[in-house]
Amino acid sequence: MTTVSTSKGRPGATLTSVSAGRRIKDRLVQVLVYLAFGLALIPLVSVLWTVVVNGAKRFDLTFFQFSMNAVGGSDAGGGAYHAIIGTLQQVLITSLIAIPIAVLTAIYLVEYAGNGRLGKIISFTVDVMTGIPSIVAGLFVLALWLLTLGFGFSGLAGALALTILMIPTVVRASEEMLKLVPNELREASYALGVPRWRTVLFVVLPTALTGMITGIMLAVARVMGETAPLLLTIFYTKVINTNALDGPQGSLPTFIWDQARDPNQNSIDRAWTGALVLILIIMLLNLVARLIAGRRRPAGR
């Protein structure tokens, strides 16, 4: 093995040798990283454990088959069927509205806007929307959709409020993923005479798809747990309403809020189970999204 002299003139040191001081520092940094990781896991594991232990008390078929119609706070039984249906419908409508708008906005900012004034205005607006409190989005939809235009409480109104919260998150996540796509891929496509829109559609988007789906699911997880805008736009009901376009509709966040404010133990148990179901739905959606992203991943990645 070739030997070299170190900067301090010590002969015989090899290119692969590491001083004792550097090894100690490296091991110390590793310990600090593991310690920080463990500290970060403590609150997460604690919350998950608490929700699972308390939510398992009412995790039964009755909870998924029945609503809270004619069930009092102190009564046993009752379930969150109406809330689960409402949450799934509202999140679906939100995703159908927000994801296309957000992804197209991100594509424009990365692929077309450049340093233009319109791109800067859009980027600034997205930054401002990212910091909007959720209750402000609910108040905006309440003032415009319900009070000004005269529509009533509905799942659609709640979805519009959630759309305001979801769009900036998806825009930023998609924008960052699109920026990570190597320019060489775009240039190779252009060199073959492929127009820009086809390059974006068949080269750029498939390459960034996995990261974009992750960002979208983070946005879905955020809006799925919002309570304040839903109370202002869908109100609250204990009966089953499968029509998201008409009338108050239940949702898991409002169900948890309603049950948790009741001091009776049966209501508290239902609230914990509602929180557990909400977490499980989010985990299931993330799993499905990752499976889809894995199947659509370009070859060689």
Side-chain angles (χ1 to χ4, degrees):
M1 182 178 293
T2 304
T3 60
V4 296
S5 297
T6 63
S7 59
K8 294 185 179 180
R10 290 178 296 178
T14 66
L15 291 175
T16 59
S17 64
V18 180
S19 64
R22 294 184 63 182
R23 287 198 298 268
I24 293 174
K25 293 178 181 178
D26 178 69
R27 185 59 57 87
L28 179 61
V29 171
Q30 288 184 10
V31 171
L32 292 176
V33 170
Y34 292 143
L35 180 61
F37 178 72
L39 292 175
L41 281 180
I42 290 176
L44 176 61
V45 173
S46 176
V47 170
L48 288 177
W49 177 257
T50 303
V51 173
V52 170
V53 170
N54 291 279
K57 298 177 181 178
R58 279 299 322 277
F59 197 82
D60 49 41
L61 290 178
T62 301
F63 189 83
F64 295 93
Q65 292 177 340
F66 296 93
S67 68
M68 288 298 297
N69 189 22
V71 179
S74 60
D75 297 337
Y81 177 80
H82 64 296
I84 296 173
I85 294 298
T87 290
L88 294 178
Q89 288 185 346
Q90 293 151 25
V91 171
L92 176 61
I93 296 173
T94 300
S95 301
L96 292 176
I97 299 174
I99 292 176
I101 295 175
V103 171
L104 290 174
T105 301
I107 291 174
Y108 174 78
L109 291 176
V110 176
E111 303 294 335
Y112 295 93
N115 294 322
R117 179 177 298 179
L118 180 58
K120 293 180 180 178
I121 294 175
I122 295 176
S123 182
F124 175 77
T125 303
V126 171
D127 290 336
V128 172
M129 291 179 62
T130 304
I132 291 179
S134 60
I135 194 170
V136 174
L139 286 172
F140 172 76
V141 175
L142 173 66
L144 177 63
W145 188 257
L146 279 75
L147 300 181
T148 302
L149 299 180
F151 294 99
F153 295 110
S154 65
L156 176 60
L160 293 176
L162 297 181
T163 298
I164 299 175
L165 302 175
M166 187 174 178
I167 285 178
T169 305
V170 178
V171 169
R172 278 290 168 253
S174 301
E175 184 180 2
E176 294 303 320
M177 290 301 104
L178 291 173
K179 288 180 179 178
L180 292 177
V181 177
N183 284 327
E184 288 79 4
L185 294 178
R186 298 180 177 88
E187 294 171 356
S189 179
Y190 297 151
L192 294 175
V194 179
R196 174 173 290 186
W197 71 270
R198 291 182 63 89
T199 299
V200 172
L201 186 60
F202 296 105
V203 177
V204 177
L205 284 180
T207 305
L209 181 62
T210 302
M212 291 173 64
I213 290 179
T214 300
I216 290 172
M217 294 313 304
L218 290 175
V220 169
R222 179 201 172 187
V223 301
M224 190 175 286
E226 292 291 348
T227 306
L230 297 183
L231 289 174
L232 296 173
T233 53
I234 70 172
F235 197 55
Y236 178 74
T237 181
K238 294 184 177 182
V239 301
I240 300 173
N241 179 14
T242 58
N243 185 3
L245 304 179
D246 183 33
Q249 192 176 39
S251 69
L252 280 172
T254 57
F255 172 84
I256 297 169
W257 166 81
D258 178 70
Q259 297 299 310
R261 67 193 181 104
D262 193 315
N264 294 291
Q265 186 59 44
N266 287 327
S267 296
I268 299 299
D269 292 341
R270 285 190 289 263
W272 281 113
T273 306
L276 177 59
V277 171
L278 183 60
I279 292 175
L280 291 177
I281 291 176
I282 294 174
M283 292 178 61
L284 180 61
L285 291 177
N286 274 277
L287 178 61
V288 172
R290 290 184 179 276
L291 290 175
I292 295 175
R295 291 180 178 274
R296 297 297 301 273
R297 184 178 301 173
R301 294 195 69 203

